[in-house]
Amino acid sequence: MSADATIRRLRADDAAAFKAIRLEALKANPELIGSTFELEDSLDVTLFAGRLEDTHVLGAFQHGALVGTVGFAIQQGPKNVHKGRLFGMYVRPGARQLGIARLLVNALLDVARGQVELIQLTVVSDNQAARRLYESVGFLEFGREPKASKYGDRYFDESHMALDFGRAEDFG
Ligand SMILES: CC(C)(COP(=O)(O)OP(=O)(O)OC[C@H]1O[C@@H](n2cnc3c(N)ncnc32)[C@H](O)[C@@H]1OP(=O)(O)O)[C@@H](O)C(=O)NCCC(=O)NCCS
């Protein structure tokens, strides 16, 4: 099956839909995402609007509905501005395995390429679906933090991955 989806940048006007999909992701996969449902549910929608203007968040739409997101931000500080960060990758369960995450990540790399020299991300180490996705576009693991996060009684290791545009010509 192939993805019949449109990808575009989300702006402040999309804040309500962005908050809704973010809360859905935090509810469905609390162990995979750094934040928590309780924290973000309490935030005003204007804060989400601000996030959409301060960072570059892409949305995937099917029949006008937001079904997936991924974000890109340039890192802070004069010694870090050559690096970007990928965050907030999520595709609604009903839209999975259609290639939408791949469309999102490739569109994000097109945005990041030219703005930063490399892009980094963090992923729960046993999240095979996400790891395979990232590896398939050229991300390599460069470190692993044991017990990086704790949700309930469970600890989760996190893998740090990077894609160096200077070394990634093979992936286009
Ligand atoms: C990870 C996620 C974004 C993938 O979304 P998706 O739209 O289903 O992914 P795609 O259909 O674009 O698949 C792209 C590649 O990802 C990998 N992949 C996706 N789902 C997979 C699965 N269930 N098992 C193994 N690999 C998988 C494959 O490499 C796939 O390429 P292929 O189809 O050529 O084998 C989605 O499962 C999701 O939102 N999961 C919950 C949130 C999450 O884990 N976010 C990442 C946080 S770092």
Side-chain angles (χ1 to χ4, degrees):
M1 282 207 278
S2 71
D4 181 17
T6 307
I7 309 292
R8 69 164 173 84
R9 183 173 179 182
L10 301 183
R11 306 306 300 237
D13 283 354
D14 299 299
F18 177 54
K19 180 175 180 181
I21 196 170
R22 179 91 186 140
L23 292 179
E24 176 189 303
L26 287 164
K27 210 171 211 174
N29 302 108
E31 75 288 5
L32 301 182
I33 301 169
S35 189
T36 67
F37 178 88
E38 291 72 20
L39 179 78
E40 302 221 3
D41 189 32
S42 67
L43 301 177
D44 193 85
V45 74
T46 55
L47 198 133
F48 290 84
R51 274 189 201 170
L52 293 176
E53 293 302 330
D54 295 344
T55 61
H56 197 112
V57 177
L58 296 174
F61 292 82
Q62 277 185 321
H63 314 294
L66 181 62
V67 296
T69 61
V70 69
F72 164 71
I74 297 175
Q75 296 188 26
Q76 303 279 311
K79 292 185 176 172
N80 293 322
V81 291
H82 64 297
K83 295 183 289 190
R85 209 158 176 82
L86 181 154
F87 61 89
M89 170 62 81
Y90 179 70
V91 174
R92 288 199 152 132
R96 287 187 191 161
Q97 312 252 282
L98 298 173
I100 289 178
R102 190 183 296 288
L103 283 179
L104 281 167
V105 78
N106 280 326
L108 185 105
L109 294 179
D110 286 345
V111 171
R113 202 180 280 115
Q115 292 198 53
V116 291
E117 295 174 34
L118 64 137
I119 182 159
Q120 299 176 327
L121 62 84
T122 302
V123 56
V124 168
S125 300
D126 62 10
N127 184 351
Q128 289 301 330
R131 289 178 57 117
R132 282 195 194 147
L133 165 71
Y134 300 137
E135 284 164 2
S136 76
V137 293
F139 281 89
L140 298 172
E141 180 174 314
F142 65 89
R144 187 179 286 220
E145 182 184 355
K147 289 187 169 180
S149 57
K150 187 177 182 185
Y151 184 70
D153 292 337
R154 286 188 66 199
Y155 294 96
F156 296 89
D157 295 356
E158 289 180 358
S159 295
H160 299 282
M161 304 184 82
L163 187 160
D164 184 338
F165 290 118
R167 293 188 189 162
E169 277 95 26
D170 289 350
F171 290 90

